[in-house]
Amino acid sequence: MSKTPTGSTTSDGTPAVVPPGEEELSAAGSQLSTAPAETAVPGSFGGNRAPGPTGWLTWTGREILGWARWFWRQLTSMRVALLLLFLLSLGAVPGSLIPQDGTDAMKVEAFKQAHRTLGPIYDELGLFHVYSSVWFSAVYILLFISLIGCIVPRTWQFVGQLRGRPPGAPKRLTRLPAYATWRTAAPPEEVHEAALKVLKQRRFRAHLAGDAVAGEKGYLREAGNLVFHLALIVMLIAFAWGQLYKTEGNKLVVEGDGFTNTLTQYDDFKSGNLFNDDDLVPFSFNLKEFTGTYQRTGPQKGTPRVYKADITYSVGAHGKDRKATISPNHPLAVDDARVYLVSHGYAPTVTVRDGKGDVVYRQAVPLLPVDGNVTSQGAIKVLDGYKNAKGESEQLGFPAFFVPTFAGAGKGTMFSQFPALDFPVLALTGFHGDLGVDSGLPQNVYQLDTKSPKLKQFKDAKGDIVAARLLPGETMTLPDGAGSITFEKDIKEWAGFQIVQQPGTGWALTGAIAAIAGLAGSLFIQRRRVWVRAVEGADGVTVVEMAGLGRSESAKLPEELGDLAALVHDKAPAQTDADPDREPDADTPVPAEGAEKE
C-alpha cells in the first residue's frame, strides 16, 4: 500500500502518493530544497504550534499560561519560601554591619570618606539603606506572596479535613506498624461500641465505617502549621506598616528645659514614606533632673550604676502634668510613641560680658561627649548683642573642651579621668567676627568654623593665642577691652532622648508569639489514625484487631495503641475457654509492636 509522507502534496493540494520503499528517498530529497516550509513547533507544555496566525496565538497563549502556572507553583512551594526567608535574613546582615542613612547619616558620610572605593559601590547597591532598597523590598514582597499562595490552598484543604471523617480500615491491618489482636466472647457490635467510647474519651474523632471503628487524632498539627504561616504574614504586614508610618527623631534636653512633640522641636528627624505631620502623638515633657552615679573601683570603674531622667509630661494640649522616670530599659510610653533615654552629657553655664561689663550672653551650653568618661567638646556662640571696644557689632565664638574630672595640672592630659563631676575644668579659646550663621547655609551648632576668613582669633599684646583652663567661678579676660567669659559654678546636665513612633509593634509581637506557638504545635503534635475491627469468626468467636498508623514515625504510637487496646480489652475481654486447636497464648491480647513490656 502506498504511503504519503508528511508535508508532501500534489498540485491540486491532495496528498501525494509515494511508492513503497521510496519514503526514505523522498525524505532525503526534501532536505535538498531551500524553500521555506511551515513545520509544527513543539510546545513546552504539550501540543504543537499549528500553522497560521491562529495557531501562533493559541500556542503563545498556552505557553504563557503554562509558564505562569509553573512560576506560581515554584513561588508557592515550601522550598522557595524557605529560600526567600533565607535571602531576607541574609539581606538584613549588611543592614546590621554597614551604617545606615536612616540610623546615623554622619556615620555613613564618615564611611564614604574613609572608603573611597567601597563607598560608591555600596551606595549603588543600596547597602546604606538596605531596608528601603529595591532588592530587599522585592524579596520581602515575593516572600509575602509566597506565604499567601502557600497558606490559602492549605487552609481550604484543612477545612475539608475537619469536615470529613477518618477513612475506613485497610483490609490487612497486620501490615501497619502498630498492631494488636485477641478473641473475645463479646459480639462485634458491643466491641464497636466500646471502641467508640474509648477513642472519644481519648479525644479521637471516631465513627463506625463498615466492620471497623476508625479514629483520628492530631489535627492541631496542621493547625499549628497554618498558625505559623499566618503569624509570619501578620509579622510581615506589621513590619511593613511600621516602616511606612514610623517616625524617629532625637532631642537633646538640658535640665530645666522641655520638649514638645512637633517637627520643629527635633534636632534630627526621619519618617516613613506615608507619614503625615498629623500622625505625631501630641505630648510634651520637661527634664527636671538627670541622675547618674558610676562604679568607682574595680575593673568596671566608670560603669553607670544609676542612669535616669526624672521628667514631668502631659498628653494633649491641656493634659495634666504627670511625673515619670526614664531609664535605658524603661522608656516613656505615650500611645504609639516611645521616649528612650539614649545619651547624657554636661552643659557648663557661661556668662559673656562686653567691654563695658554688660552681660550679652548667659546660658548652659551642652557639649558632646567624645569618650566614656564624658570628655566633651563643643562651641559657645554669641550671635547677637555684642559690640567690641570700637562699638562695632560682632559675633563671638569659643571652642570649648570640658572634662568633668581633670587629671591635674602637669599630668600631660586633658581627657577626663571619671564621668562624674569630681574636678570639672573648662578649656577655652576665642574668636570674633562673622560666624556665618546669616549666610543661609546649614551649620553645626556644636562646631565652629575656625578656618573661616571672617573670623579672627583673640591674641594678646605679644601675639600669643588667648586660651585658658577655667575652674568653676573663674573668668577669662579677652584682650583689648573686648570683654570676658566666665565659667559659672552652675553646671547642668543634659539628656539625649530618642522619640520613636512605630505603629504595628503590638501586632508584630502578637505574630511572633503566635508563630512560636504554631511552630511548637507543628513539631510536637503527632497526627495518627487508629482502627478497631471486630468480626465474628467461623467458630462464632469475635476476633478483635487494632492497628495504628502515624503520619511520621514515632515510638509513642505503639505505646498509645497498647494503652487503647488495654482499655478496649477491659470492656471486651479475651475468651478464657481453652481451645486445643489454638496456641496456648492466643486468648490474650497481642501487645502493639514496639510497646514497652512490663
Side-chain angles (χ1 to χ4, degrees), residues 105-397:
M106 296 183 65
K107 285 187 177 181
V108 173
E109 290 300 323
F111 185 92
K112 291 180 179 179
Q113 294 294 332
H115 303 83
R116 297 289 184 177
T117 302
L118 285 178
I121 297 176
Y122 283 4
D123 202 7
E124 288 294 328
L125 294 176
L127 297 182
F128 293 122
H129 48 91
V130 168
Y131 303 110
S132 59
S133 62
V134 175
W135 56 269
F136 190 86
S137 300
V139 175
Y140 184 89
I141 294 173
L142 285 175
L143 177 60
F144 186 78
I145 296 174
S146 177
L147 289 175
I148 293 178
C150 179
I151 198 172
V152 169
R154 293 185 67 173
T155 301
W156 286 115
Q157 183 181 5
F158 180 61
V159 171
Q161 292 176 354
L162 291 179
R163 297 177 61 184
R165 287 187 169 189
K171 291 183 178 180
R172 298 185 180 181
L173 295 179
T174 55
R175 294 184 175 182
L176 299 184
Y179 177 79
T181 183
W182 71 93
R183 292 160 58 86
T184 180
E189 294 78 9
E190 185 177 334
V191 176
H192 291 156
E193 183 179 351
L196 277 172
K197 185 176 181 180
V198 167
L199 290 177
K200 290 182 178 181
Q201 287 177 347
R202 290 297 186 97
R203 300 188 301 277
F204 278 83
R205 296 177 59 194
H207 72 107
L208 181 61
D211 60 352
V213 174
E216 188 167 1
K217 189 176 182 181
Y219 282 87
L220 289 180
R221 177 186 179 91
E222 184 62 22
N225 281 327
L226 296 177
V227 169
F228 175 74
H229 287 82
L230 283 173
L232 286 182
I233 294 176
V234 170
M235 292 172 63
L236 290 174
I237 294 175
F239 178 76
W241 184 266
Q243 290 299 311
L244 291 173
Y245 288 93
K246 76 171 184 178
T247 64
E248 183 179 310
N250 294 284
K251 179 63 178 179
L252 186 150
V253 183
V254 180
E255 288 177 328
D257 292 342
F259 167 80
T260 302
N261 194 25
T262 59
L263 286 179
T264 57
Q265 290 281 299
Y266 283 93
D267 294 334
D268 60 81
F269 182 85
K270 54 183 177 292
S271 63
N273 295 333
L274 301 182
F275 163 76
N276 187 282
D277 295 357
D278 297 333
D279 295 332
L280 287 175
V281 178
F283 73 94
S284 61
F285 66 86
N286 292 311
L287 176 60
K288 295 301 182 181
E289 182 183 11
F290 180 87
T291 304
T293 60
Y294 308 90
Q295 179 71 29
R296 291 192 169 272
T297 58
Q300 294 186 340
K301 181 180 179 180
T303 302
R305 292 305 179 196
V306 177
Y307 201 81
K308 64 178 183 177
D310 295 320
I311 66 167
T312 58
Y313 74 98
S314 61
V315 180
H318 306 287
K320 295 182 179 180
D321 286 343
R322 311 174 192 176
K323 294 182 179 180
T325 298
I326 304 177
S327 60
N329 295 324
H330 297 86
L332 172 67
V334 182
D335 293 337
D336 287 336
R338 299 290 184 271
V339 182
Y340 297 91
L341 177 63
V342 295
S343 58
H344 157 259
Y346 294 100
T349 302
V350 298
T351 302
V352 179
R353 294 178 173 84
D354 60 14
K356 297 180 181 180
D358 297 331
V359 175
V360 296
Y361 181 90
R362 179 183 176 84
Q363 189 172 325
V365 183
L367 304 178
L368 301 181
V370 296
D371 61 17
N373 287 325
V374 204
T375 302
S376 308
Q377 63 181 7
I380 302 168
K381 299 181 180 182
V382 182
L383 305 180
D384 301 306
Y386 172 78
K387 292 184 179 180
N388 59 21
K390 298 179 182 180
E392 299 173 344
S393 295
E394 282 188 320
Q395 294 176 335
L396 300 179

